[in-house]
Amino acid sequence: AQKITQTQPGMFVQEKEAVTLDCTYDTSDPSYGLFWYKQPSSGEMIFLIYQGSYDQQNATEGRYSLNFQKARKSANLVISASQLGDSAMYFCAMSPSNNAGNMLTFGGGTRLMVKP
Amino acid sequence: KAGVTQTPRYLIKTRGQQVTLSCSPISGHRSVSWYQQTPGQGLQFLFEYFSETQRNKGNFPGRFSGRQFSNSRSEMNVSTLELGDSALYLCASSWGTGDYGYTFGSGTRLTVV
């Protein structure tokens, strides 16, 4: 079974500053994928970034980067230069190995609030 | 390209009724997964359909069922609704196995009264 833990229920960050959202995971799968999604108050899940378990380099997508530490089983999201529009719920998620199908296990989420 | 379309956006049903939700995936996507989001339980995987076959199932009672049509559109059905079924139901589509390009719809918010 896979498990995702997000220990920060809510966080504040000043506009234009960087922020790190924590995510730890547990799995017995040798191969897996890690995701971060943003969910604004409207409800849709917006894909931010993906990291494969065998990827050698940390993933980056614009202002988003994923700090992947496999030995520690952590996949923290770093948002640089926060913007007011970044205020939302953020979910860390995991998918099983490539042949197991498309199903995600989500963490409990972190509510990020960006202060002007 | 068109995104994942879920209908209806909002729904109010009475306890004991049944409900059907629809999800139209991105053109060419063959996998559709369904998730339930509640304040208490968070986001939970319901089931996944791939090429009209249920490939994976989460830990939900048999009142929750689904199907997928030949055009990859998927429906989920909840029978004998309970108050606890009130939730945001999200579907996600992807091209196939191991494809990390999941795209979510905007969800259907179901309220059971």
Side-chain angles (χ1 to χ4, degrees):
Chain A
Q2 300 183 325
K3 185 177 180 181
I4 297 282
T5 302
Q6 295 180 252
T7 57
Q8 307 153 310
M11 288 190 69
F12 283 96
V13 64
Q14 199 68 40
E15 190 180 9
K16 300 181 184 177
E17 291 185 349
V19 62
T20 298
L21 306 184
D22 295 341
C23 172
T24 59
Y25 62 91
D26 192 22
T27 181
S28 55
D29 287 337
S31 173
Y32 48 89
L34 293 157
F35 302 75
W36 277 92
Y37 285 90
K38 172 184 178 181
Q39 187 179 43
S41 56
S42 54
E44 78 266 35
M45 299 287 282
I46 301 168
F47 167 78
L48 295 177
I49 197 165
Y50 166 84
Q51 178 85 42
S53 60
Y54 285 105
D55 292 343
Q56 296 294 320
Q57 292 189 319
N58 287 342
T60 60
E61 289 282 352
R63 295 187 299 113
Y64 305 107
S65 60
L66 199 153
N67 184 0
F68 181 47
Q69 299 188 42
K70 195 171 183 178
R72 293 187 175 185
K73 294 189 174 181
S74 74
N76 298 338
L77 176 71
V78 180
I79 305 175
S80 63
S82 297
Q83 302 172 355
L84 295 178
D86 294 336
S87 294
M89 283 292 292
Y90 288 80
F91 292 95
C92 180
M94 166 182 277
S95 68
S97 57
N98 283 351
N99 294 327
N102 293 337
M103 53 186 177
L104 295 170
T105 299
F106 285 89
T110 295
R111 181 173 298 279
L112 179 66
M113 292 152 282
V114 181
K115 298 186 290 184
Chain B
K1 61 180 179 182
V4 178
T5 303
Q6 290 189 247
T7 56
R9 285 298 311 277
Y10 302 92
L11 206 49
I12 300 175
K13 288 288 188 178
T14 303
R15 193 170 44 180
Q17 288 185 316
Q18 74 167 11
V19 67
T20 299
L21 312 182
S22 177
C23 174
S24 293
I26 289 175
S27 178
H29 284 191
R30 294 185 296 166
S31 169
V32 174
S33 300
W34 289 88
Y35 297 83
Q36 181 196 61
Q37 185 177 22
T38 61
Q41 299 298 317
L43 277 151
Q44 294 183 287
F45 171 76
L46 279 156
F47 30 66
E48 182 214 4
Y49 285 87
F50 180 79
S51 293
E52 302 181 63
T53 301
Q54 186 180 83
R55 183 160 65 174
N56 290 290
K57 188 177 189 305
N59 188 25
F60 278 81
R63 298 186 298 106
F64 291 83
S65 64
R67 58 178 174 168
Q68 187 178 35
F69 301 95
S70 58
N71 62 358
S72 292
R73 188 178 73 86
S74 176
E75 290 181 345
M76 67 163 282
N77 183 278
V78 188
S79 63
T80 318
L81 284 165
E82 300 177 359
L83 297 179
D85 297 333
S86 295
L88 178 66
Y89 290 89
L90 292 160
C91 79
S93 77
S94 65
W95 186 82
T97 301
D99 168 29
Y100 64 85
Y102 302 96
T103 302
F104 279 82
S106 298
T108 293
R109 191 167 294 278
L110 171 66
T111 302
V112 182
V113 297

